[in-house]
Structure formats: C-alpha cells, structure tokens
Amino acid sequence: AMTATPDTVASIPESLRLAAAEDPDLEAIVDGEIRLTFAQLDAEVTAFARSAVARGLEPGDRAAVWAPNSARWCIAALGIMAAGGILTPINTRYLGSEAQFALNRARTMMLVTEEGFLGKSYLTMLRETEAPTGDDWGAGVEPAILPGVPYLRTIVDIGSTGDEHATDWDDFIALGESVDPSVIDERIAGLTPDKIADILFTSGTTGYPKGAMVTH
C-alpha cells in the first residue's frame, strides 16, 4: 500500500504508483494500437523491474535504452528506475562509437534496444565498433557479451528479432516471475528525491559528450 501524496512523492516510480492509485483507468500511454491506463502501465513497469532484478540489477546500477519512442521505451525506462537503477537514454541518431562511449562512460550493465527499427541494427553498429583502449574501461570485468562494451551483461530486444546476443522482450519479462513483487516495493521505497534518476549525455559539439546526472 502506497501512502504517498502529491506533496510527499519522493521519486518518479512513486509518482507513477500514486497516479495508478488515484486514476487507475485514466489513459497514460497511446502508441498506435497500444493503449495503457495508469494501472496497466504501473503493472507493466513493475513486471519489467522484477526482470531487471532477476538479471542482477542492483540499486544505483546503470541501464540504457537505445530505441525510438514507444510504449515499451516508457515501460523500460520507468522499470529501470523502479528497480532502483539509473536510466541512461541513448540518442537514436548515435553511431556505434558514440553509443559505445556513452555505455562505457556510464558503466552500463543492461541495454534495451529495438533491433531493426527503420532498417537499423543498433547491435551491429556496436559489434562493428572497435574495443576502446585506455581509461581502464572494462579492466577486471569478466568477458563481455560484446567486446566493445565490457560492462554490459544483458541486452533486451524490444523488436524481438531473435538476435544471438539479445533476449526477446517477452522472454525477458518472463524472467521476473521468480522475483517477489515486494522487492520492487522495497526498491521504490529506497529512492529519495536527491538520488540520481538519469544520466543524460550532452550533444558533445565541442568534444566528447558529458553525462549530466539528474536527480528524481
């Protein structure tokens, strides 16, 4: 039971929970044929968060979404936060080397992407990018799924294309059934307004992009 009020909401996921409690049947997202009420969105976000926990995401871990705007983008972004993670949105216009820089700079452990969107393969771009040198990136990290992004442990494919390195969306969501929903209640309760919600990379017009840390 959430006791938050509009004046005491401490985080973005708690704000969603409050909306789901106060206006459960109000439409939250319209994405083509997909229509989600606040209650449905909250349930899908919790399911995603449970799966993130099942894959080892701990409070403060960074997880990225590199995909175009969609209902699943929102579910993934909010689900990362509900698990206590820090969201790193990756610009859909980024090339492989730019995405690699952001993923490694933030030490991202999970990536949600949409393979094949507009004929683009984000994972192919990452695979074809040379592994970085220097900066101790990936030093002491176990062998990675993709050599150029050593911290990455899980890749989720919104498009469910069957990519060899990625978990299809539905398969990923099914992983969360092993995690008690109360774990997500605890993760959300642990968030405070001063904790980092997102790392937003600047456009980097005069040099490398900088990761701006934004609180809840």
Side-chain angles (χ1 to χ4, degrees):
M2 298 299 290
T3 52
T5 67
D7 295 328
T8 64
V9 165
S11 68
I12 293 167
E14 195 174 60
S15 178
L16 173 59
R17 290 243 162 132
L18 180 65
E22 291 193 333
D23 292 299
D25 301 324
L26 193 67
E27 273 194 341
I29 288 181
V30 177
D31 173 14
E33 298 293 302
I34 301 166
R35 304 179 92 87
L36 297 175
T37 64
F38 275 104
Q40 290 169 331
L41 176 61
D42 184 48
E44 296 225 16
V45 165
T46 298
F48 187 99
R50 289 166 72 190
S51 296
V53 170
R55 290 296 295 135
L57 187 137
E58 296 289 339
D61 280 350
R62 272 75 68 193
V65 183
W66 189 18
N69 194 15
S70 69
R72 285 182 172 177
W73 195 105
C74 301
I75 291 162
L78 291 165
I80 289 162
M81 291 183 189
I86 297 171
L87 169 67
T88 307
I90 306 290
N91 192 322
T92 52
R93 294 178 187 275
Y94 271 7
L95 302 174
S97 57
E98 294 169 312
Q100 179 197 56
F101 176 85
L103 291 169
N104 287 338
R105 192 88 182 129
R107 302 198 170 198
T108 304
M109 59 90 70
M110 187 167 90
L111 169 66
V112 182
T113 189
E114 184 167 356
E115 269 301 90
F117 177 74
L118 297 181
K120 252 179 159 177
S121 171
Y122 293 119
L123 293 180
T124 298
M125 282 197 276
L126 276 179
R127 284 188 196 103
E128 291 174 351
T129 301
E130 284 183 30
T133 54
D135 273 349
D136 289 331
W137 274 347
V141 174
E142 302 156 32
I145 316 176
L146 302 179
V149 274
Y151 300 99
L152 213 50
R153 288 285 156 270
T154 300
I155 299 171
V156 183
D157 180 11
I158 289 175
S160 297
T161 55
D163 185 276
E164 60 174 325
H165 292 110
T167 305
D168 284 356
W169 179 271
D170 291 339
D171 293 341
F172 176 74
I173 297 299
L175 296 172
E177 289 166 16
S178 63
V179 174
D180 193 293
S182 66
V183 173
I184 307 308
D185 297 342
E186 290 163 16
R187 294 282 177 102
I188 293 174
L191 295 171
T192 52
D194 58 332
K195 288 201 169 162
I196 306 297
D198 340 70
I199 297 176
L200 305 172
F201 279 87
T202 61
S203 58
T205 46
T206 56
Y208 283 113
K210 292 175 179 62
M213 296 186 288
V214 183
T215 63
H216 282 274

